Amino acid sequence: MTAPMDHRNAQLETLRSLLKQLGITPEQLLTETTAASVAVPTFEEYVGQVAEAVSPGTRRVYGSYWRRICHHWGKRRITEPTPLEIKRLAEGIRSDVVVRRNTRGGRTAAEHLIAAMRCIYRHAVMDGLIREADNPAAKVAKPRRLASIRRAVPEAQLAEIIHIATTTGNDPHLDGLLIRLHLETACRRGGALALRPRDLDPDQCLIYLREKGGTSRWQPISPTLTQHLLAHHAQRGDDDRNGSLLRYRNGRPLTYRRYDHLWHRIGTHLPWVAAQQVSTHWLRHTTLTWVERAFSYAVARAYAGHSGTNDIGTTMTYVRAEVQEVAAALAGLTGEWHPLAGPDASTHDHPPRADWIRS
């Protein structure tokens, strides 16, 4: 009995040695895989398919990084790069970033490159081209994010911004409307640009915001802003209720370029705006900071349209604020009555008072 067992052990040892040379583990032999029967595409072949499957916002953020990936690895099959190669590519892109005043060492570029790779491989896993365990991008850590340099704008400086926006440029009416819209709603640029005439509810003074991540919500706005948006549509819009609400004088829909021109112009008049790279998102910080200080964290969270639970735990499921409380905060912010808020919401004193929007 000893001789046959010795012979079998020798065969097993030979087999283990052969598998080790081939880079194959015994577990791989036991796992069914569909990738072997599927033709693995190159990056040039597959990235275009992924770009057609994602949202326009995702395509806009990752598009330039996908082009860089195809430039470096276009002819390679998506199963070929290793985690080390992906990390080296990310570091190369990080070092090539154009140095600007608001640069942060290329961290964002490296983070987006890794995120763009992960997006490609997520779809590859769904298509059965690779296994989840073989996803090389998932094994590469993103650079640690630094704290945001954006902050709430002080009242005096905000008054300067509003003054320049509404007294200079080729369309002060439009720019003033944009500033008011973002200060009242704390919405992002994408949410404003996605507004349609059908998203206005003038009876209840609400607008329907559709923002990043597929999130959407009804956001209270003041009667004053409601009338300005209705007048804007009447003067510049058309009969298409599903078209863009915000438009230029010639009727063309607004784009992100209007925001770029607006802040560049404000920066030429106010050097501190250009030096600190103030943008529309600073208005969001300003409004949400006031709401949190004057009301509560739950109300500020609802005001911002945040709905995830990863960062605050399950308690927010029970203490989240409703749209009526957001409307009450808006009434305190603007000093105007709102149909969804209580009758005394606009007069109740919640220090500090938001006099910067009432003027």
Side-chain angles (χ1 to χ4, degrees), residues 195-209:
L195 283 173
R196 306 162 298 183
R198 64 177 297 179
D199 294 330
L200 275 173
D201 181 352
D203 293 332
Q204 297 192 82
C205 294
L206 295 169
I207 57 172
Y208 190 66
L209 290 174

Side-chain angles (χ1 to χ4, degrees), residues 75-86:
K75 302 301 183 183
R76 299 184 69 181
R77 301 197 180 279
I78 62 173
T79 52
E80 294 181 14
T82 64
L84 179 60
E85 288 180 298
I86 294 174

Side-chain angles (χ1 to χ4, degrees), residues 296 298-300 302-303 316 319-326:
S296 69
V299 175
Y303 208 112
M316 284 304 300
V319 300
R320 63 186 180 190
E322 302 299 336
V323 67
Q324 292 81 5
E325 294 170 275
V326 175

Side-chain angles (χ1 to χ4, degrees), residues 5 56 72 156-157 176 199 226 269-271 334 344:
M5 287 296 297
H72 285 83
Q157 292 181 319
D199 294 330
T226 302
H269 289 83
L270 302 173
T334 61
D344 299 327

Side-chain angles (χ1 to χ4, degrees), residues 165-213:
T166 56
T167 58
T168 64
N170 61 1
D171 199 343
H173 166 79
L174 175 61
D175 294 334
L177 185 62
L178 288 177
I179 295 292
R180 176 90 186 201
L181 173 64
H182 286 281
L183 282 175
E184 279 202 20
T185 66
C187 69
R188 302 174 179 89
R189 295 185 306 170
L193 294 176
L195 283 173
R196 306 162 298 183
R198 64 177 297 179
D199 294 330
L200 275 173
D201 181 352
D203 293 332
Q204 297 192 82
C205 294
L206 295 169
I207 57 172
Y208 190 66
L209 290 174
R210 291 166 289 132
E211 297 192 305
K212 72 175 186 179

Side-chain angles (χ1 to χ4, degrees), residues 173 177 180 200 222-235:
H173 166 79
L177 185 62
R180 176 90 186 201
L200 275 173
S222 68
T224 296
L225 181 57
T226 302
Q227 294 306 313
H228 279 298
L229 290 174
L230 290 172
H232 178 85
H233 174 63
Q235 295 168 6

